[in-house]
Coordinates of all heavy atoms in Angstrom, one line a residue:
V1 N 10.6 11.4 7.6 CA 9.5 10.5 8.0 C 9.5 10.4 9.6 O 9.0 9.5 10.2 CB 9.6 9.1 7.4 CG1 8.5 8.1 7.8 CG2 9.6 9.2 5.9
G2 N 10.1 11.4 10.2 CA 10.2 11.4 11.7 C 8.8 11.6 12.3 O 8.1 10.6 12.7
G3 N 8.3 12.8 12.3 CA 6.9 13.0 12.7 C 6.7 13.7 14.0 O 5.5 13.9 14.4
F4 N 7.7 14.0 14.8 CA 7.4 14.6 16.1 C 8.1 15.9 16.2 O 9.3 16.1 15.7 CB 7.7 13.7 17.3 CG 9.2 13.4 17.4 CD1 10.0 14.3 18.2 CD2 9.8 12.4 16.8 CE1 11.3 14.0 18.3 CE2 11.1 12.1 16.9 CZ 11.9 12.9 17.7
G5 N 7.5 16.9 16.8 CA 8.2 18.2 17.0 C 8.0 19.2 16.0 O 8.4 20.4 16.2
S6 N 7.5 18.9 14.8 CA 7.4 19.9 13.8 C 6.5 21.1 14.2 O 6.9 22.3 14.0 CB 6.9 19.3 12.4 OG 5.6 18.8 12.6
S7 N 5.4 20.8 14.8 CA 4.5 21.9 15.2 C 5.1 22.7 16.4 O 4.9 23.9 16.5 CB 3.2 21.3 15.7 OG 2.5 20.8 14.5
L8 N 5.9 22.0 17.2 CA 6.5 22.6 18.3 C 7.4 23.8 17.9 O 7.5 24.8 18.5 CB 7.3 21.6 19.2 CG 8.0 22.1 20.4 CD1 7.0 22.5 21.5 CD2 8.9 21.1 20.9
F9 N 8.1 23.6 16.8 CA 9.0 24.6 16.3 C 8.4 25.5 15.3 O 8.6 26.7 15.2 CB 10.3 23.9 15.7 CG 11.1 23.1 16.6 CD1 11.1 21.7 16.5 CD2 11.7 23.7 17.7 CE1 11.9 21.0 17.4 CE2 12.4 23.0 18.6 CZ 12.5 21.6 18.5
F10 N 7.5 24.9 14.4 CA 7.0 25.7 13.3 C 5.9 26.8 13.8 O 6.0 27.9 13.4 CB 6.3 24.8 12.3 CG 5.6 25.6 11.2 CD1 6.3 26.2 10.2 CD2 4.2 25.6 11.2 CE1 5.7 26.9 9.2 CE2 3.5 26.4 10.2 CZ 4.3 27.0 9.2
V11 N 5.0 26.3 14.7 CA 3.9 27.2 15.0 C 4.4 28.5 15.7 O 3.9 29.6 15.3 CB 2.9 26.5 15.9 CG1 1.9 27.4 16.5 CG2 2.2 25.4 15.1
P12 N 5.3 28.5 16.7 CA 5.7 29.8 17.3 C 6.4 30.7 16.3 O 6.2 31.9 16.3 CB 6.6 29.4 18.4 CG 6.3 27.9 18.7 CD 5.8 27.3 17.4
M13 N 7.3 30.1 15.4 CA 8.0 30.9 14.4 C 7.0 31.5 13.4 O 7.1 32.7 13.0 CB 9.1 30.1 13.8 CG 10.2 29.8 14.7 SD 11.7 29.2 13.9 CE 11.1 27.7 13.1
A14 N 6.1 30.7 12.9 CA 5.2 31.1 11.9 C 4.2 32.2 12.5 O 3.7 33.0 11.8 CB 4.4 30.0 11.3
G15 N 4.0 32.1 13.8 CA 3.1 33.0 14.4 C 3.6 34.5 14.4 O 2.8 35.4 14.5
Y16 N 4.9 34.6 14.2 CA 5.4 36.0 14.0 C 5.1 36.6 12.7 O 5.1 37.8 12.5 CB 7.0 36.0 14.2 CG 7.4 35.8 15.7 CD1 8.0 34.7 16.1 CD2 7.1 36.8 16.6 CE1 8.4 34.5 17.4 CE2 7.5 36.7 17.9 CZ 8.1 35.6 18.3 OH 8.5 35.4 19.6
F17 N 4.9 35.7 11.7 CA 4.7 36.2 10.3 C 3.3 36.1 9.8 O 2.9 36.8 8.9 CB 5.6 35.4 9.4 CG 7.1 35.5 9.8 CD1 7.7 34.4 10.4 CD2 7.8 36.6 9.5 CE1 9.0 34.5 10.8 CE2 9.1 36.7 9.9 CZ 9.7 35.6 10.5
F18 N 2.5 35.2 10.4 CA 1.1 35.0 9.9 C 0.1 35.0 11.0 O 0.5 34.9 12.2 CB 1.0 33.6 9.2 CG 1.9 33.4 8.1 CD1 3.0 32.6 8.2 CD2 1.7 34.0 6.9 CE1 3.9 32.4 7.2 CE2 2.6 33.8 5.8 CZ 3.7 33.0 6.0
D19 N -1.2 35.2 10.7 CA -2.2 35.2 11.7 C -2.5 33.7 12.1 O -2.0 32.8 11.5 CB -3.5 35.8 11.2 CG -4.1 35.1 10.0 OD1 -3.5 35.0 8.9 OD2 -5.2 34.5 10.2
F20 N -3.2 33.6 13.2 CA -3.5 32.3 13.9 C -4.0 31.3 12.9 O -3.6 30.1 12.8 CB -4.4 32.5 15.1 CG -4.7 31.2 15.7 CD1 -3.8 30.5 16.5 CD2 -6.0 30.7 15.7 CE1 -4.1 29.3 17.1 CE2 -6.4 29.5 16.3 CZ -5.4 28.8 17.0
H21 N -5.1 31.7 12.1 CA -5.7 30.7 11.2 C -4.9 30.3 10.1 O -4.9 29.1 9.6 CB -7.1 31.3 10.8 CG -8.1 31.3 11.8 ND1 -8.4 32.4 12.5 CD2 -8.9 30.3 12.4 CE1 -9.3 32.1 13.4 NE2 -9.6 30.8 13.3
T22 N -4.0 31.2 9.6 CA -3.1 30.8 8.5 C -2.1 29.8 9.0 O -1.8 28.8 8.3 CB -2.4 32.1 8.0 OG1 -3.4 33.0 7.5 CG2 -1.5 31.7 6.9
V23 N -1.6 30.0 10.2 CA -0.6 29.1 10.8 C -1.3 27.7 11.0 O -0.6 26.7 10.7 CB -0.1 29.6 12.2 CG1 0.8 28.6 12.9 CG2 0.7 30.9 11.9
L24 N -2.5 27.7 11.5 CA -3.2 26.4 11.6 C -3.3 25.7 10.2 O -3.2 24.5 10.1 CB -4.6 26.6 12.2 CG -4.7 26.9 13.7 CD1 -6.2 27.0 14.1 CD2 -4.1 25.7 14.5
G25 N -3.7 26.5 9.2 CA -3.8 25.9 7.9 C -2.5 25.3 7.3 O -2.5 24.2 6.8
I26 N -1.5 26.1 7.5 CA -0.2 25.6 7.0 C 0.3 24.4 7.8 O 0.8 23.4 7.2 CB 0.9 26.7 7.1 CG1 0.5 27.9 6.2 CG2 2.3 26.2 6.8 CD1 1.4 29.1 6.4
T27 N 0.1 24.4 9.1 CA 0.4 23.2 9.9 C -0.4 22.0 9.5 O 0.2 20.9 9.4 CB 0.2 23.5 11.4 OG1 1.0 24.7 11.7 CG2 0.6 22.4 12.3
A28 N -1.7 22.2 9.3 CA -2.5 21.1 8.8 C -2.0 20.5 7.5 O -2.0 19.3 7.3 CB -4.0 21.6 8.7
F29 N -1.6 21.4 6.6 CA -1.1 21.0 5.3 C 0.1 20.1 5.5 O 0.3 19.0 4.9 CB -0.8 22.1 4.4 CG -0.2 21.7 3.1 CD1 -0.9 21.2 2.1 CD2 1.2 21.9 2.9 CE1 -0.2 20.8 0.9 CE2 1.8 21.6 1.7 CZ 1.1 21.0 0.7
F30 N 1.0 20.6 6.3 CA 2.3 19.8 6.6 C 2.0 18.4 7.2 O 2.6 17.4 6.8 CB 3.2 20.6 7.6 CG 3.9 21.7 7.0 CD1 4.3 22.8 7.8 CD2 4.1 21.8 5.6 CE1 5.0 23.8 7.3 CE2 4.8 22.9 5.1 CZ 5.3 23.9 5.9
H31 N 1.0 18.4 8.1 CA 0.6 17.1 8.7 C 0.0 16.1 7.7 O 0.3 14.9 7.7 CB -0.3 17.3 9.9 CG 0.4 17.8 11.1 ND1 1.2 17.0 11.9 CD2 0.5 19.0 11.7 CE1 1.7 17.7 12.9 NE2 1.3 18.9 12.8
V32 N -0.9 16.7 6.9 CA -1.5 15.8 5.8 C -0.5 15.3 4.9 O -0.5 14.1 4.5 CB -2.6 16.6 5.1 CG1 -3.1 15.9 3.8 CG2 -3.8 16.9 6.0
A33 N 0.4 16.2 4.4 CA 1.5 15.7 3.5 C 2.4 14.7 4.1 O 2.7 13.7 3.5 CB 2.3 16.9 3.0
S34 N 2.7 14.9 5.4 CA 3.5 13.9 6.1 C 2.8 12.5 6.3 O 3.4 11.5 6.0 CB 3.9 14.5 7.5 OG 4.5 13.5 8.3
N35 N 1.6 12.6 6.6 CA 0.8 11.3 6.8 C 0.6 10.6 5.5 O 0.7 9.4 5.4 CB -0.5 11.6 7.5 CG -0.3 12.0 8.9 OD1 0.6 11.7 9.6 ND2 -1.3 12.8 9.5
L36 N 0.4 11.3 4.4 CA 0.2 10.7 3.1 C 1.5 10.0 2.7 O 1.5 8.9 2.1 CB -0.3 11.7 2.1 CG -1.7 12.1 2.2 CD1 -2.1 13.2 1.2 CD2 -2.7 11.0 2.1
S37 N 2.6 10.7 2.9 CA 3.9 10.1 2.5 C 4.2 8.8 3.4 O 4.7 7.9 2.8 CB 5.0 11.1 2.7 OG 5.3 11.4 4.0
K38 N 3.8 8.9 4.6 CA 4.0 7.7 5.5 C 3.2 6.5 5.0 O 3.6 5.4 5.0 CB 3.8 8.0 6.9 CG 4.8 8.9 7.6 CD 4.4 9.3 9.0 CE 5.3 10.4 9.5 NZ 4.8 11.0 10.7
I39 N 1.9 6.8 4.7 CA 1.0 5.8 4.1 C 1.6 5.2 2.9 O 1.6 4.0 2.7 CB -0.4 6.3 3.9 CG1 -1.0 6.6 5.3 CG2 -1.3 5.4 3.1 CD1 -2.4 7.4 5.2
A40 N 2.1 6.0 2.0 CA 2.6 5.6 0.7 C 3.9 4.7 1.0 O 4.1 3.7 0.3 CB 3.0 6.7 -0.2
L41 N 4.7 5.1 1.9 CA 6.0 4.4 2.1 C 5.8 3.1 2.9 O 6.4 2.1 2.6 CB 7.0 5.2 2.9 CG 7.6 6.4 2.2 CD1 8.3 7.3 3.2 CD2 8.5 5.9 1.1
F42 N 4.8 3.0 3.8 CA 4.6 1.9 4.6 C 3.2 1.2 4.4 O 2.6 0.6 5.3 CB 4.7 2.3 6.1 CG 6.0 2.9 6.4 CD1 6.1 4.2 6.7 CD2 7.2 2.2 6.3 CE1 7.3 4.9 7.0 CE2 8.4 2.8 6.6 CZ 8.5 4.1 7.0
R43 N 2.7 1.3 3.2 CA 1.3 0.8 2.9 C 1.1 -0.7 3.2 O 0.0 -1.1 3.5 CB 0.9 1.2 1.5 CG 1.7 0.5 0.4 CD 1.3 1.0 -1.0 NE 2.3 0.6 -2.0 CZ 3.3 1.3 -2.3 NH1 3.5 2.5 -1.8 NH2 4.1 0.9 -3.3
K44 N 2.2 -1.5 3.1 CA 2.0 -2.9 3.3 C 1.8 -3.2 4.8 O 1.2 -4.2 5.2 CB 3.2 -3.7 2.8 CG 3.3 -3.6 1.3 CD 4.5 -4.4 0.8 CE 4.5 -4.3 -0.7 NZ 5.6 -5.1 -1.3
G45 N 2.3 -2.3 5.7 CA 2.2 -2.5 7.1 C 1.0 -1.8 7.8 O 0.9 -1.8 9.0
V46 N 0.1 -1.2 7.0 CA -1.0 -0.5 7.6 C -2.1 -1.5 8.1 O -2.5 -2.4 7.5 CB -1.7 0.4 6.5 CG1 -3.0 1.1 7.0 CG2 -0.7 1.5 6.0
D47 N -2.4 -1.3 9.4 CA -3.4 -2.1 10.1 C -4.8 -1.4 9.9 O -5.0 -0.4 10.5 CB -3.0 -2.3 11.5 CG -4.0 -3.2 12.3 OD1 -5.0 -3.6 11.7 OD2 -3.7 -3.4 13.5
K48 N -5.6 -2.0 9.1 CA -6.9 -1.3 8.7 C -7.8 -1.2 9.9 O -8.5 -0.2 10.1 CB -7.6 -2.1 7.6 CG -6.8 -2.0 6.3 CD -7.4 -2.9 5.2 CE -6.7 -2.8 3.9 NZ -5.3 -3.1 4.0
K49 N -7.8 -2.2 10.8 CA -8.6 -2.1 12.1 C -8.1 -0.9 12.9 O -9.0 -0.2 13.5 CB -8.5 -3.4 12.9 CG -9.3 -3.5 14.1 CD -9.2 -4.8 14.8 CE -10.0 -4.8 16.1 NZ -9.8 -5.9 16.9
L50 N -6.8 -0.8 13.1 CA -6.3 0.3 13.9 C -6.7 1.7 13.2 O -7.0 2.6 13.9 CB -4.8 0.2 14.0 CG -4.1 1.2 14.9 CD1 -4.6 1.0 16.3 CD2 -2.6 1.0 14.9
V51 N -6.6 1.7 11.9 CA -7.0 3.0 11.2 C -8.4 3.3 11.5 O -8.8 4.5 11.8 CB -6.8 2.9 9.7 CG1 -7.4 4.0 8.9 CG2 -5.3 2.8 9.4
L52 N -9.3 2.3 11.5 CA -10.7 2.6 11.8 C -10.9 3.0 13.3 O -11.7 3.9 13.5 CB -11.6 1.4 11.5 CG -11.8 1.1 10.0 CD1 -12.5 -0.2 9.8 CD2 -12.5 2.2 9.3
Q53 N -10.2 2.4 14.2 CA -10.4 2.7 15.6 C -9.8 4.0 16.0 O -10.3 4.7 16.8 CB -9.7 1.6 16.4 CG -10.4 0.3 16.4 CD -9.7 -0.8 17.2 OE1 -8.5 -0.7 17.5 NE2 -10.4 -1.8 17.6
L54 N -8.7 4.4 15.4 CA -8.0 5.7 15.7 C -8.2 6.8 14.7 O -8.4 8.0 15.0 CB -6.5 5.5 16.0 CG -6.1 4.6 17.1 CD1 -4.6 4.4 17.2 CD2 -6.6 5.1 18.4
G55 N -8.1 6.4 13.4 CA -8.2 7.4 12.4 C -9.5 8.1 12.2 O -9.6 9.3 12.1
V56 N -10.6 7.3 12.2 CA -11.9 7.9 12.0 C -12.3 8.8 13.2 O -12.7 10.0 12.9 CB -13.0 6.8 11.9 CG1 -14.4 7.3 11.8 CG2 -12.7 6.0 10.6
P57 N -12.1 8.5 14.5 CA -12.4 9.4 15.5 C -11.5 10.7 15.4 O -11.9 11.8 15.8 CB -12.1 8.6 16.8 CG -12.3 7.2 16.4 CD -11.8 7.1 15.0
A58 N -10.3 10.5 15.0 CA -9.3 11.6 14.9 C -9.9 12.6 13.9 O -9.8 13.8 14.1 CB -8.0 11.1 14.6
V59 N -10.3 12.1 12.7 CA -10.8 13.0 11.7 C -12.1 13.8 12.2 O -12.2 14.9 12.0 CB -11.1 12.2 10.4 CG1 -11.9 13.0 9.4 CG2 -9.9 11.7 9.8
V60 N -13.0 13.1 12.9 CA -14.2 13.7 13.4 C -13.8 14.8 14.4 O -14.3 15.9 14.4 CB -15.1 12.6 14.1 CG1 -16.2 13.3 14.9 CG2 -15.7 11.7 13.1
C61 N -12.8 14.5 15.3 CA -12.3 15.5 16.3 C -11.7 16.7 15.6 O -11.8 17.8 16.1 CB -11.4 14.8 17.3 SG -12.3 13.7 18.4
V62 N -11.0 16.4 14.5 CA -10.3 17.6 13.8 C -11.4 18.5 13.2 O -11.3 19.7 13.3 CB -9.4 17.0 12.7 CG1 -9.0 18.1 11.7 CG2 -8.1 16.4 13.3
I63 N -12.4 17.9 12.7 CA -13.5 18.7 12.1 C -14.2 19.5 13.2 O -14.5 20.7 13.1 CB -14.5 17.8 11.4 CG1 -13.8 17.2 10.1 CG2 -15.8 18.6 11.0 CD1 -14.6 16.1 9.4
V64 N -14.5 18.9 14.4 CA -15.1 19.6 15.5 C -14.1 20.7 16.0 O -14.6 21.8 16.2 CB -15.4 18.6 16.6 CG1 -15.9 19.4 17.9 CG2 -16.5 17.7 16.1
G65 N -12.9 20.4 16.1 CA -11.9 21.4 16.5 C -11.8 22.6 15.6 O -11.7 23.7 16.0
A66 N -11.8 22.3 14.3 CA -11.8 23.4 13.3 C -13.1 24.3 13.4 O -13.0 25.5 13.3 CB -11.7 22.8 11.9
W67 N -14.2 23.6 13.6 CA -15.4 24.4 13.8 C -15.4 25.2 15.0 O -15.8 26.4 15.0 CB -16.6 23.4 13.8 CG -17.9 24.0 14.0 CD1 -18.7 24.7 13.1 CD2 -18.7 24.1 15.2 NE1 -19.8 25.2 13.6 CE2 -19.9 24.8 15.0 CE3 -18.4 23.7 16.5 CZ2 -20.8 25.1 16.0 CZ3 -19.4 24.0 17.5 CH2 -20.5 24.7 17.2
L68 N -14.9 24.7 16.1 CA -14.8 25.4 17.4 C -13.8 26.6 17.2 O -14.0 27.7 17.7 CB -14.3 24.5 18.5 CG -15.4 23.6 19.0 CD1 -14.8 22.6 20.0 CD2 -16.6 24.3 19.6
S69 N -12.7 26.4 16.5 CA -11.7 27.4 16.3 C -12.3 28.6 15.5 O -12.1 29.7 15.8 CB -10.5 26.8 15.5 OG -9.6 27.8 15.1
E70 N -13.1 28.2 14.5 CA -13.8 29.3 13.8 C -14.8 30.1 14.6 O -14.9 31.3 14.5 CB -14.5 28.7 12.6 CG -15.2 29.7 11.7 CD -15.9 29.0 10.5 OE1 -16.9 28.3 10.8 OE2 -15.5 29.2 9.4
K71 N -15.5 29.4 15.5 CA -16.5 30.0 16.3 C -15.9 30.9 17.4 O -16.5 31.8 17.9 CB -17.5 29.0 17.0 CG -18.3 28.2 16.0 CD -19.2 29.2 15.3 CE -20.0 28.4 14.3 NZ -20.8 29.3 13.4
M72 N -14.7 30.6 17.9 CA -14.0 31.3 18.9 C -13.4 32.6 18.4 O -13.0 33.5 19.2 CB -13.0 30.5 19.6 CG -13.5 29.3 20.4 SD -12.3 28.3 21.1 CE -11.8 29.3 22.4
D73 N -13.3 32.8 17.1 CA -12.7 34.0 16.5 C -13.6 35.2 16.6 O -14.7 35.4 16.6 CB -12.3 33.7 15.1 CG -11.5 34.8 14.5 OD1 -10.9 35.5 15.3 OD2 -11.5 35.0 13.3

């Protein structure tokens, strides 16, 4: 349940074995799994207002970033 540095180590190593978009997909899966486990473990302490203020814009920006990543290929 740490949450920092996984991409820092995983992305460069996975880049040797997979193409860029595959590495992005695997990294996204790891982050989603990590965040879902944190929500499950700490569900009583989730601040719904903060989720709306930070979570919704983050999801929108991820969608835009994925779209831009696809267009740059």
Side-chain angles (χ1 to χ4, degrees):
V1 181
F4 65 92
S6 62
S7 294
L8 180 71
F9 298 113
F10 175 75
V11 171
M13 289 193 298
Y16 285 111
F17 303 104
F18 302 106
D19 65 294
F20 177 71
H21 287 101
T22 303
V23 172
L24 283 180
I26 295 170
T27 304
F29 174 76
F30 285 157
H31 284 287
V32 168
S34 172
N35 289 334
L36 289 176
S37 67
K38 289 174 191 172
I39 290 171
L41 289 170
F42 304 111
R43 64 184 166 270
K44 292 182 182 178
V46 174
D47 183 355
K48 291 172 183 63
K49 182 180 176 187
L50 186 63
V51 169
L52 288 175
Q53 289 176 339
L54 295 178
V56 173
V59 170
V60 171
C61 289
V62 164
I63 293 169
V64 170
W67 179 78
L68 287 172
S69 174
E70 183 181 68
K71 295 298 178 190
M72 293 178 74
D73 188 24

